[in-house]
């Protein structure tokens, strides 16, 4: 197999830096370069020499501040579309866009199933989700026989030194000895499983919309419990707060982000063997 040349557009992203680290295990098979897209210098970069452009730049945190709306659309939508168009015009063979489960809108309320299936329509509830979806849909239109498009709608990505909700759960497991006993279901993906999927997508010159996830659905309770055990802590799970949390769940999506349900139907999972780290081991590695 000829060496694959991969351009990562977006420096210092969690997924991008971990992908580069992952494929560095095979120096004779992959050559990577990461460039910044914060200013306009990328526009003069020649994309024609790359087999794949992996676009990882974007604003990842969710904000309700209306002052940031324009920035979200500028970065998450317009920049992504423009990078994809340049990749196609320059002659790159494949473009990978990191979309998100956020395009499917709110998390399910406590006690209510929320299973995303093949025919589930995206329905974002904020400008973060809307900006991701609009880029996702526009980039799909660029696909043709010579330019393959890979849309990756990831669930929560976690691993060592990640950002977002996962580090908050670590703090809860570390400092709070009591936690609500609620059994919800979430799709999540460990960073090594995601980067292995991306590697396979590049090797196989895949094209389409993909929903990689760990083999196991997990509950927030299971995550907290396993984290605590690995840190030598003891957490007591109690049902005392459940009625109050169920009530709040009807009104506050913030509660549902922690205790609600949101999973991809397992039939949506790619068939390729990319889940190389199981849930128990992934939590252990994430705490190192």
């Amino acid at each position: 197999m000829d060496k694959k040349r991969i351009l990562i557009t977006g420096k210092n992203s969690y997924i991008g830096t971990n992908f580069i680290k992952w494929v560095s295990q095979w120096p004779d098979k992959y050559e990577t370069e990461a460039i910044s897209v914060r200013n306009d210098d990328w526009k003069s970069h020649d994309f024609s020499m790359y087999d794949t452009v992996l676009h990882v730049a974007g604003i990842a945190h969710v904000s309700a501040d209306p002052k940031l709306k324009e920035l979200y659309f500028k970065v998450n939508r317009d920049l992504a579309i423009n990078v994809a168009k340049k990749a196609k015009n320059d002659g790159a063979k494949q473009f990978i866009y990191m979309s998100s489960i956020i395009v499917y809108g709110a998390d399910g309320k406590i006690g209510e199933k929320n299973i995303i299936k093949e025919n589930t329509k995206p329905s974002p509830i904020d400008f973060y989700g809307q900006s991701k979806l609009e880029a996702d849909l526009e980039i799909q239109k660029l696909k043709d026989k010579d330019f393959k498009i890979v849309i990756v709608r990831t669930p929560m990505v976690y691993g060592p030194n990640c950002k977002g909700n996962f580090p908050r759960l670590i703090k809860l497991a570390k400092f709070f000895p009591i936690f609500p006993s609620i059994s919800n279901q979430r799709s999540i993906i460990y960073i090594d499983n995601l980067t292995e999927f991306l590697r396979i997508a590049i090797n196989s010159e895949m094209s389409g919309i993909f929903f990689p996830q760990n083999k196991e659905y997990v509950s927030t309770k299971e995550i907290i419990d396993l984290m605590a055990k690995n840190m030598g802590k003891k957490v007591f799970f109690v049902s005392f707060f459940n009625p109050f949390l169920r009530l709040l769940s009807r009104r506050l999506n913030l509660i549902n982000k922690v205790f609600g349900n949101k999973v991809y139907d397992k039939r949506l999972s790619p068939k390729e063997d990319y889940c190389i780290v199981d849930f128990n081991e992934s939590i252990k590695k994430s705490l190192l």
Side-chain angles (χ1 to χ4, degrees):
M1 183 180 76
D2 292 335
K3 184 182 283 194
K4 292 282 189 182
R5 301 197 69 188
I6 305 154
L7 177 66
I8 294 90
T9 48
K11 278 193 170 181
N12 305 319
S13 93
Y14 186 69
I15 293 172
T17 53
N18 276 279
F19 174 78
I20 292 169
K21 182 181 175 183
W22 185 251
V23 297
S24 69
Q25 298 175 85
W26 303 275
D28 56 327
K29 293 183 178 179
Y30 306 99
E31 184 178 328
T32 60
E33 181 183 0
I35 62 169
S36 172
V37 287
R38 285 183 178 272
N39 53 39
D40 287 341
D41 291 350
W42 63 272
K43 293 180 179 178
S44 60
H45 199 86
D46 183 7
F47 286 16
S48 66
M49 64 186 80
Y50 302 100
D51 298 290
T52 299
V53 176
L54 170 59
H55 185 70
V56 292
I59 305 173
H61 62 279
V62 179
S63 172
D65 185 349
K67 293 177 184 174
L68 295 175
K69 182 176 180 178
E70 185 179 343
L71 179 63
Y72 271 72
F73 280 94
K74 182 180 178 182
V75 175
N76 287 347
R77 181 191 62 190
D78 301 345
L79 175 63
I81 293 168
N82 289 334
V83 172
K85 285 179 176 177
K86 177 172 170 58
K88 180 174 184 174
N89 292 337
D90 281 11
K93 299 171 186 173
Q94 184 188 49
F95 186 83
I96 301 178
Y97 176 65
M98 303 307 300
S99 189
S100 170
I101 197 171
I102 198 78
V103 302
Y104 291 102
D107 301 87
K109 296 177 175 64
I110 294 174
E112 291 183 3
K113 287 187 176 181
N114 185 4
I115 304 172
I116 297 162
K117 299 180 179 179
E118 188 176 9
N119 60 355
T120 302
K121 295 271 191 271
S123 54
I125 59 168
D126 53 35
F127 49 77
Y128 171 61
Q130 190 64 37
S131 65
K132 296 294 286 185
L133 178 62
E134 289 183 18
D136 178 321
L137 297 176
E138 281 300 309
I139 289 169
Q140 288 181 50
K141 296 175 185 176
L142 299 174
K143 174 186 171 184
D144 61 32
K145 62 183 178 63
D146 299 314
F147 189 59
K148 294 178 168 60
I149 296 291
V150 176
I151 303 292
V152 188
R153 292 180 179 168
T154 59
M156 183 183 80
V157 179
Y158 69 100
N161 304 310
C162 67
K163 296 177 181 178
N165 291 328
F166 193 77
R168 297 186 185 106
L169 294 179
I170 294 176
K171 287 182 180 178
L172 287 174
K174 191 172 185 178
F175 298 113
F176 287 83
I178 296 174
F179 197 80
S181 181
I182 292 175
S183 295
N184 59 332
Q185 285 191 321
R186 313 289 300 193
S187 286
I188 59 176
I189 187 163
Y190 181 59
I191 185 62
D192 288 359
N193 294 340
L194 176 59
T195 53
E196 175 62 4
F197 171 74
L198 294 174
R199 186 183 76 85
I200 291 170
I202 291 167
N203 275 3
S204 306
E205 299 178 358
M206 288 158 64
S207 190
I209 305 172
F210 298 93
F211 310 86
Q213 59 183 330
N214 286 354
K215 289 180 179 178
E216 315 92 335
Y217 295 150
V218 297
S219 69
T220 310
K221 175 183 172 181
E222 288 174 307
I223 296 172
I224 293 288
D225 188 39
L226 198 52
M227 283 177 171
K229 286 175 178 173
N230 277 285
M231 291 187 288
K233 303 286 184 179
K234 178 67 177 174
V235 175
F236 295 92
F237 294 95
V238 297
S239 302
F240 178 79
F241 305 103
N242 290 17
F244 180 60
L245 289 170
R246 284 178 188 276
L247 190 63
L248 287 178
S249 168
R250 305 292 159 190
R251 302 181 181 185
L252 295 175
N253 194 42
L254 179 63
I255 297 295
N256 300 323
K257 283 183 178 296
V258 181
F259 299 108
N261 299 283
K262 197 173 195 180
V263 299
Y264 282 132
D265 187 328
K266 289 191 176 177
R267 287 172 292 188
L268 288 180
S269 297
K271 305 301 181 221
E272 290 76 16
D273 187 19
Y274 61 91
C275 287
I276 51 174
V277 182
D278 67 23
F279 173 62
N280 285 7
E281 186 64 21
S282 73
I283 294 295
K284 200 177 295 182
K285 286 173 172 280
S286 298
L287 296 173
L288 295 177

